[in-house]
């Protein structure tokens, strides 16, 4: 930990921009190749436009992957649904770049101690509803027409899968990745056709 008055920071410890430091003064902040990202990694060709998002949590930062490309926190994959918490001296792997978090006394992570944070389930419900509504409005409400009679079986099927996932951890993990991929696809379709 650094002394009082210094902001938290991410330091590139391995990758094309080795030694580069990014200060963390507010969140949420995005990591990617886009110049608008707070952590702009321009030299790593494996990094997408906006690949990950950091939000402050009690004594650390929540990491979510915003793209299909993998993001790892201390060697464990972070996804759109299953986020990971990055704490002081932890590592974050984005593309071919590894970053280390250095928290300071009085930094953003320490000042957020005790703040409530969103759960992964609520995050996903919010994102899925927002994505589905955008997609549904973009195609003009034609979803029941496109799927015909099978549309009325969609909700019971989702309920059965949800109950089965509660008792079968392997199915739960598979469904999680399938849902993440579906949300990514719907979001990509919406952005391609809307602009």
């Amino acid at each position: 930990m650094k002394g009082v008055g210094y902001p938290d920071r991410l330091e590139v410890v391995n990758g094309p921009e080795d030694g580069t430091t990014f200060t963390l003064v507010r969140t949420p902040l995005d990591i990617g190749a886009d110049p608008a990202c707070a952590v702009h990694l321009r030299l790593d060709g494996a990094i997408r436009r906006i690949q990950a998002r950091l939000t402050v949590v009690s004594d650390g930062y929540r990491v979510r992957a915003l793209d299909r490309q993998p993001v790892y926190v201390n060697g464990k994959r972070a996804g759109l649904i299953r986020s990971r918490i990055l704490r002081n001296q932890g590592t974050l792997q984005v593309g071919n770049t590894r970053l280390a978090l250095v928290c300071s006394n009085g930094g953003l992570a320490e000042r957020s101690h005790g703040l409530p944070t969103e759960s992964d389930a609520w995050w996903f419900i919010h994102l899925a509803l927002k994505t589905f509504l955008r997609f549904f409005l973009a195609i003009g409400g034609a979803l029941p027409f496109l799927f015909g009679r099978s549309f009325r079986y969609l909700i019971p099927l989702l309920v059965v899968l949800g109950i089965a996932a509660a008792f079968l951890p392997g199915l739960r993990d598979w469904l999680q990745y399938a849902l993440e991929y579906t949300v990514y696809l719907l979001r990509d379709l919406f952005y391609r056709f809307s602009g």
Side-chain angles (χ1 to χ4, degrees):
M1 280 210 168
K2 277 282 237 182
V4 177
Y6 289 95
D8 297 340
R9 65 187 190 279
L10 283 171
E11 295 178 351
V12 178
V13 293
N14 190 5
E17 297 180 55
D18 202 5
T20 306
T21 300
F22 300 95
T23 57
L24 309 176
V25 292
R26 63 181 169 83
T27 63
L29 61 93
D30 293 332
I31 299 173
D34 191 326
C37 291
V39 179
H40 176 214
L41 299 168
R42 64 189 181 281
L43 299 179
D44 187 346
I47 293 180
R48 301 296 180 113
R49 190 176 69 80
I50 300 175
Q51 191 161 337
R53 176 165 290 154
L54 268 65
T55 54
V56 69
V57 296
S58 185
D59 295 326
Y61 294 87
R62 180 178 306 273
V63 179
R64 289 192 192 282
L66 297 181
D67 196 274
R68 287 184 283 242
Q69 295 299 327
V71 174
Y72 297 95
V73 175
N74 298 323
K76 295 181 181 176
R77 187 176 179 147
L80 185 64
I81 298 173
R82 183 179 288 167
S83 64
R84 300 286 180 188
I85 304 296
L86 180 63
R87 303 228 186 263
N88 189 32
Q89 299 303 317
T91 60
L92 171 65
Q93 177 85 29
V94 182
N96 296 320
T97 302
R98 179 173 290 140
L99 301 110
L101 176 66
V102 179
C103 294
S104 63
N105 293 329
L108 193 57
E110 184 180 278
R111 290 192 320 255
S112 67
H113 185 73
L115 288 177
T117 61
E118 86 269 349
S119 70
D120 287 340
W122 284 114
W123 166 265
F124 177 71
I125 289 169
H126 169 76
L127 180 67
L129 286 175
K130 185 170 75 171
T131 303
F132 180 75
L133 285 174
R134 282 184 178 166
F135 183 72
F136 189 74
L137 293 173
I139 63 171
L143 204 54
F145 176 74
L146 292 174
F147 291 106
R149 291 177 169 236
S150 63
F151 185 73
R152 67 178 162 187
Y153 299 112
L154 183 63
I155 299 299
L157 175 66
L158 292 175
V159 170
V160 168
L161 285 174
I163 292 169
F167 297 106
L168 301 169
L171 179 63
R172 183 179 22 219
D173 292 341
W174 182 84
L175 284 173
Q176 173 188 333
Y177 289 118
L179 286 171
E180 279 186 10
Y181 190 72
T182 302
V183 169
Y184 288 137
L185 286 176
L186 287 174
R187 208 171 54 187
D188 288 348
L189 282 173
F190 173 74
Y191 288 127
R192 280 189 191 153
F193 291 116
S194 66

